[in-house]
Amino acid sequence: MLSGIRLDEVRSLLRQLHCRSGESPVVEMKSKFFELMLNIMMRMISGKRYYGENISGREEQDQVQRFREIVRETFEVSGATNVGDFVPIVNWFGFLNKKGLEKRLVVLQEKRDEFMQALIDEHRSVRPGRDEDDHSQARRKTMIDVLLSLQETEAEYYSDEIIRGIIQVMLSAGTDTSAATSEWALSLLLNNPECLKKAQAEIDAKIGHNRLIEESDLAQLPYIHNIINETLRMYPISPVLAPHESSEECSVGGFRIPRGTMLLVNLWALHNSRELWVEPDKFKPERFAGFDVERDRFVMMPFGSGRRGCPGEGLAKRVLGLVLGSLIQCFEWERPGEDMVDMTEGTGLTMPKARPLLAKCTPRRSMLKLLSQI
């Protein structure tokens, strides 16, 4: 139902890149990907965009400014690890909360709740009327609208608090993760131009030059999927999975694990193990050509596995495929200089690049007409 929003935002990025290509072909892509993912998610959630074009009006500008400040502070504090959460004994020695992290988190949560509640109240006051036809109602629906309609029949399961929580999870888990993966993928392609050319050839053969790629085309582009999988293998955005807990006492690798133990799965080590992968430090999308998801699910699981696996996996792969496919179809990509792209990993809750990606972006001659019509 919301695929049109994702397509519209990706094409907005294509338009930005095309318009600025005459000024300077070198683009800082980290912020481009991050703003794209936030716009996609917030338009699906609330019907509003908070970055780029088409933002006007004093009240709307104030709301945009508040949202951007909340986003900035959220990702600033989310990267600050509290050792006391993982090694409780340090709390006894007064090391906890040295920089007032807990207090900052409480204040930030109040800001987020206030902002999200305002969005919910706004949608509640302008819910589609019952006399509108089905087409009009569908056109106006967002995730908040859907959740508010469920609230009417199942109020105990869809309280405002639950709706706020769902919105915050979508934003925190579905924006920075996809943005960083897009940046890693494009960085790898710039360092491996033969793979970039192979992906471009696949798109040219399956889609052509007379129209832009859409989500429905992704099933015809297996090499794009292989690139995404190889990126997630080499640079899993959550290198250590979210904490789990042993439900029963068990033994792992000869170690006794008591019931109720916090368990941290080192996904990066699994994905880069020489026992499981041939030349794991090399970018080889072709390795996934014969990959069986069911057979190999514990060898490659960037989204976790089973009941505690990430429920956003399908959405993430569709967005990543559409973004990368569109950029490869419409532009020639090169490194700004002779040096390879720096692939050093940064710190934080997720695994960002230490240095934002700078890329040389030039519209493909065969796509100029379509780009000028976006």
Side-chain angles (χ1 to χ4, degrees), residues 15 18 210 212 367-374:
R15 184 165 56 248
H18 178 228
N210 297 320
L212 295 174
M367 300 301 293
L368 282 173
K369 183 178 178 181
L370 280 178
L371 285 169
S372 65
Q373 296 171 350
I374 297 178

Side-chain angles (χ1 to χ4, degrees), residues 252-316:
V252 178
F255 293 91
R256 185 180 73 87
I257 310 296
R259 177 180 179 176
T261 301
M262 181 191 290
L263 305 172
L264 299 172
V265 177
N266 189 338
L267 196 63
W268 188 93
L270 187 72
H271 286 186
N272 287 272
S273 168
R274 294 191 177 279
E275 295 179 13
L276 301 174
W277 301 93
V278 177
E279 297 183 305
D281 54 337
K282 290 189 177 180
F283 180 67
K284 295 165 57 175
E286 293 77 10
R287 75 172 82 239
F288 284 96
F291 190 77
D292 187 307
V293 175
E294 202 55 40
R295 182 193 65 205
D296 302 318
R297 59 180 176 154
F298 294 124
V299 174
M300 169 75 177
M301 49 178 184
F303 297 93
S305 184
R307 293 175 63 192
R308 297 291 177 253
C310 175
E313 178 176 358
L315 175 61

Side-chain angles (χ1 to χ4, degrees), residues 50-117:
Y50 290 85
Y51 294 88
E53 54 201 11
N54 299 329
I55 299 172
S56 59
R58 179 61 184 273
E59 186 176 338
E60 194 171 351
Q61 290 283 1
D62 289 344
Q63 190 182 61
V64 165
Q65 195 57 43
R66 287 201 305 276
F67 177 77
R68 291 181 180 180
E69 181 62 25
I70 288 170
V71 168
R72 183 196 63 74
E73 194 172 347
T74 296
F75 286 102
E76 184 179 291
V77 300
S78 67
T81 301
N82 186 355
V83 178
D85 289 341
F86 299 93
V87 188
I89 194 172
V90 303
N91 297 341
W92 299 352
F93 295 97
F95 295 136
L96 178 63
N97 220 12
K98 274 187 177 179
K99 298 181 180 178
L101 177 61
E102 200 167 287
K103 184 177 179 180
R104 289 180 67 193
L105 286 169
V106 170
V107 172
L108 174 60
Q109 185 61 29
E110 290 173 355
K111 289 181 186 177
R112 288 193 296 209
D113 278 343
E114 182 182 350
F115 184 87
M116 298 306 171
Q117 188 62 50

